[in-house]
Every structure is written in C-alpha cells, then in structure tokens.
Amino acid sequence: KRAVARYTKAVDAGLQPDPYLVAQAQFEIGEMRFEIYRLLNLELPIERSLQKKQALFTEVLATYKEAASYQIAEWYTASAHRIGETYEEFGRAFFASPRPAELTPEMLAKYDELLSQKVRPFKERAYDAYKGNLRQAEENSINNTWVEQSRQRMQTLAVELGVELPAAAPAAEPAADQATGTNGAVNTNGTTRSSVGQATVKGNQR
C-alpha cells in the first residue's frame, strides 16, 4: 500500500515513475484479499455470510482492476485471470451453500436447479473475463502461465455453459468488469504513448 501511495504521489507531482513494481504491489494486495475471499464460505444464517462474501467480492474485483490499469503485461494478464476466478468463486460458494434441512429429494433437486440458474451468470462473466484476457494476449503476443490458465478455464466453462469456443482470438471488446479503464489495448514494447484510446503495457513476460 505504501508503494502504491508513493507512486500516486509521484504521478501527481508530474513525475513519470516506472509502473512495473507498483503494478506488482497492487496485484499482491489483490492476492491477499482474494485468499480471504476464497476461504469465506456461505454458512447459516446465509444472509449474514452472503453479505460478507459480496463485500469481499466487490473489494477483490476493484483491487485487480486497479492492478490491470497499470498496463503491465505480466500483471495485466494475472489480474484479468484472477477477475475470472473471482466470478467463479462466488458462483462456487453460492452453489455449495447449505441446503434447507426440510427439503424432500424432489424439492432438493429443484432447489439445486434453481441454484444452478443463479450461478450461471457468474460463470458467464468469468468466461468473458478469460476470453478477453486471451484476446489481449494473442493480439500482443503475450504468452505466460496466466494466459494458459485462462485458456484452460475458458475451455472448461465452455463445456459447462454449452457454448462454442471461438476459432480465433475474440474480436469483441472485453467485458466492462474486466476492462482496465481504457479500451484494454495492450503493447509490450516498453514505450509510452498517450494517444486517445490507446494504453500501453510494458514489462517482462513470464
């Protein structure tokens, strides 16, 4: 947090510090918050734990979006992938929540079906996040473990959602929840440009 604060202060002072380390710092903040979020399961009473889960969900998404906004290839792809996982985790926790004890087997089957319908939008948002990450990676020749993980999760979700995988890099803009405050364009050449609608990503790829 101190690194992020110092970077912001330097930018406000008109300086141009290298954003690589601050992007990493912001991503690590996201990782700590994501772990707390991941470990929080929905328990009875559902309303109370659901409220906590939702608050963490919002906080984690905002943190990873901030990390992606620095437009550093390594941390952009890492953050974009984690955004997808954040959506998936909420759906997982929701479906794994305790069932009412008084349900008959038939009622339980209907209850599970209802939960599946409620979880599907989270899977769809995760799918879009992974797809956007892969599109950016292919357009900018980025290949790292985060990109590969997004590819694997996208393939798995395509089967679960019953959708057809794109034959090539998706041409659509990334989902708003995965956007970084720009149009999402990525460049790994290490230069800085300020043209309208054009963001720059720089830094090593791993």
Side-chain angles (χ1 to χ4, degrees):
K1 288 182 179 179
R2 287 197 300 269
V4 174
R6 290 182 65 181
Y7 177 87
T8 302
K9 185 177 180 179
V11 172
D12 290 343
L15 303 177
Q16 294 183 334
D18 190 317
Y20 183 89
L21 290 179
V22 73
Q24 181 180 5
Q26 185 68 33
F27 176 77
E28 294 298 341
I29 293 173
E31 291 290 86
M32 289 184 282
R33 292 176 178 172
F34 180 82
E35 186 64 11
I36 296 172
Y37 165 73
R38 185 183 66 82
L39 293 174
L40 179 62
N41 292 316
L42 301 184
E43 301 174 347
L44 298 175
I46 292 296
E47 292 78 10
R48 183 180 302 173
S49 59
L50 180 59
Q51 187 176 16
K52 292 180 179 179
K53 190 79 172 181
Q54 287 175 324
L56 287 171
F57 169 81
T58 301
E59 184 179 27
V60 170
L61 279 183
T63 305
Y64 282 131
K65 289 177 191 176
E66 181 66 22
S69 72
Y70 291 102
Q71 296 290 290
I72 304 298
E74 181 174 355
W75 307 117
Y76 180 97
T77 53
S79 297
H81 177 78
R82 284 294 199 225
I83 286 172
E85 287 192 330
T86 301
Y87 279 110
E88 282 202 81
E89 167 55 27
F90 197 90
R92 180 209 65 77
F94 203 78
F95 192 80
S97 61
R99 276 34 173 189
E102 68 276 9
L103 295 183
T104 65
E106 180 178 328
M107 294 171 63
L108 181 60
K110 292 181 179 180
Y111 188 88
D112 286 349
E113 177 60 28
L114 179 61
L115 282 181
S116 296
Q117 294 175 10
K118 291 183 176 296
V119 166
R120 183 181 177 90
F122 291 97
K123 291 185 176 182
E124 291 174 341
R125 300 298 282 275
Y127 179 89
D128 288 342
Y130 298 138
K131 184 170 71 172
N133 199 21
L134 291 176
R135 179 180 69 85
Q136 295 289 2
E138 184 162 339
E139 287 181 357
N140 298 279
S141 301
I142 302 171
N143 187 25
N144 56 30
T145 57
W146 296 106
V147 173
E148 182 56 33
Q149 288 180 53
S150 284
R151 181 176 293 107
Q152 293 173 1
R153 290 309 307 156
M154 182 179 168
Q155 292 171 348
T156 299
L157 287 175
V159 174
E160 295 179 8
L161 295 171
V163 299
E164 185 176 352
L165 286 168
E173 291 298 317
D177 289 284
Q178 197 248 325
T180 64
T182 68
N183 68 350
V186 175
N187 190 308
T188 58
N189 62 7
T191 61
T192 301
R193 291 177 290 176
S194 58
S195 56
V196 177
Q198 180 70 49
T200 299
V201 167
K202 63 185 204 175
N204 297 328
Q205 301 174 33
R206 296 178 184 172

